[in-house]
Amino acid sequence: MNLEKLLTEARNPATTDIDTLSTLEIVTEINREDQAVAGAVAKELPNVAKAVDWIVASISRGGRLIYLGAGTSGRLGILDASECPPTYGTPPELVQGLIAGGPEAVFRSIEGAEDCLTQAAEDLKGKQLSAADTVVGIAASGRTPYVIGGLQYAKTIGCKTVAVTCSPDSEMERTADLTICARVGPEVIMGSTRMKAGTAQKLILNMLTTAAMIRSGKVYSNLMVDVQATNSKLVERGKRIVMLAAGVDRRQAEKTLGAAGGSVKVAVTALLGNMSIEEAKAALAAADGFVAKALAGRAGK
């Protein structure tokens, strides 16, 4: 294992004196290094967009997005997956995250689990992986055996496979159909890839699911019209979305939401299209769930 060849394991010449600095100077250096992350991700946007298109295609044919990772990378995949149901009203199985070591590894480091080349295949078999799914492997180094083995298995099934890394010319890059490699450079503390590499991965995963949800009709304008009102904050958010989208007051928003069974999307469509609740549901069904298309179809009649 030649760690010295990995960009994420290089020593950062700009922070060799960090242990001698004041607290303010330490956090200033960390912040300075963090500012390079967005630029590194920006260079990979064409690859991010291609991955989004694959994910949207998977969703449209009944497939899923499945993340694979170990340690920080695995936890970031699980985090991103867990946010989709409340934000976009997706079923929990649509976006899933698998981590080396299983659920226990989310809360406690199980570092040795990442070294097993065959375990991810078993985990994916447990999810009944199909060719309709897209599998995204996440590893800053690009060399994690758990992730590589999972990508290899996914390819034998016929899945589209994506590698999200921060080290170029990696084994993951040679394995996956598409690679998103954010070259963030050496970490502030050598090898601590929960820092810049983790931030880059978080930005990329956010874009993958957010853009895929937009392309799947889960957003109208910049409003999350499929939000699930599962707590008091989200109930209020739903009301506010209806008020902002349709230009109505709180009373009208609450009345229409009640008639729509709590569906923000149906309420917005009904109000903007001057439709009944049933007409709004039918218009959305005909428009594959896109509010703008439902309204355009209504206007064209």
Side-chain angles (χ1 to χ4, degrees):
M1 188 186 302
N2 296 317
L3 292 184
E4 65 270 14
K5 293 184 178 181
L6 297 175
L7 183 60
T8 52
E9 293 290 335
R11 189 176 184 186
N12 193 329
T15 60
T16 55
D17 64 343
I18 199 166
D19 64 322
T20 67
L21 303 181
S22 69
T23 302
L24 178 58
E25 289 170 330
I26 290 170
V27 296
T28 298
E29 288 213 356
I30 293 172
N31 178 254
R32 184 193 65 228
E33 290 292 316
D34 284 343
Q35 290 176 42
V37 175
V41 172
K43 294 177 181 178
E44 289 297 305
L45 291 181
N47 290 328
V48 175
K50 187 172 183 179
V52 169
D53 287 340
W54 288 358
I55 294 165
V56 173
S58 282
I59 293 172
S60 69
R61 60 178 180 261
R64 303 162 294 176
L65 165 60
I66 299 180
Y67 290 128
L68 291 174
T72 296
S73 298
R75 295 180 191 103
L76 287 171
I78 290 170
L79 173 63
D80 193 66
S82 70
E83 293 290 350
C84 290
T87 305
Y88 298 111
T90 59
E93 62 272 12
L94 184 67
V95 183
Q96 300 183 46
L98 294 174
I99 185 171
E104 184 181 356
V106 176
F107 304 100
R108 183 175 66 86
S109 178
I110 306 178
E111 297 299 340
E114 72 177 54
D115 294 331
C116 181
L117 188 65
T118 59
Q119 186 56 53
E122 296 304 312
D123 292 344
L124 289 169
K125 289 175 185 177
K127 296 294 183 181
Q128 298 182 312
L129 189 71
S130 79
D133 300 323
T134 297
V135 175
V136 176
I138 317 162
S141 67
R143 58 148 300 278
T144 304
Y146 176 84
V147 179
I148 292 168
L151 291 173
Q152 290 172 340
Y153 173 72
K155 290 188 74 172
T156 68
I157 299 298
C159 302
K160 290 289 190 182
T161 56
V162 180
V164 176
T165 79
C166 294
S167 290
D169 305 318
S170 67
E171 184 62 29
M172 276 175 56
E173 183 171 346
R174 290 186 286 273
T175 301
D177 298 314
L178 174 69
T179 295
I180 302 167
C181 181
R183 304 186 188 199
V184 297
E187 297 288 0
V188 169
I189 305 301
M190 191 181 77
S192 183
T193 52
R194 72 186 182 90
M195 300 184 76
K196 288 193 296 183
T199 300
Q201 291 170 341
K202 179 68 165 63
L203 291 174
I204 291 165
L205 302 192
N206 277 352
M207 285 191 283
L208 291 180
T209 47
T210 301
M213 294 303 142
I214 294 169
R215 292 289 311 281
S216 298
K218 300 292 184 181
V219 173
Y220 172 66
S221 182
N222 61 351
L223 303 172
M224 54 174 79
V225 289
D226 266 323
V227 64
Q228 298 296 293
T230 53
N231 61 34
S232 58
K233 179 187 74 174
L234 295 178
V235 169
E236 286 304 309
R237 181 178 293 165
K239 294 176 185 177
R240 188 161 181 263
I241 288 171
V242 175
M243 292 165 65
L244 289 171
V248 297
D249 61 20
R250 174 176 291 272
R251 182 177 178 180
Q252 183 63 56
E254 290 175 342
K255 179 181 178 181
T256 309
L257 273 170
S263 171
V264 173
K265 177 180 280 186
V266 171
V268 168
T269 304
L271 288 167
L272 286 176
N274 194 27
M275 308 178 202
S276 68
I277 295 300
E278 293 307 314
E279 287 174 331
K281 290 179 180 178
L284 285 166
D288 297 321
F290 286 80
V291 173
K293 290 180 182 178
L295 294 172
R298 175 74 167 184
K301 291 183 178 180

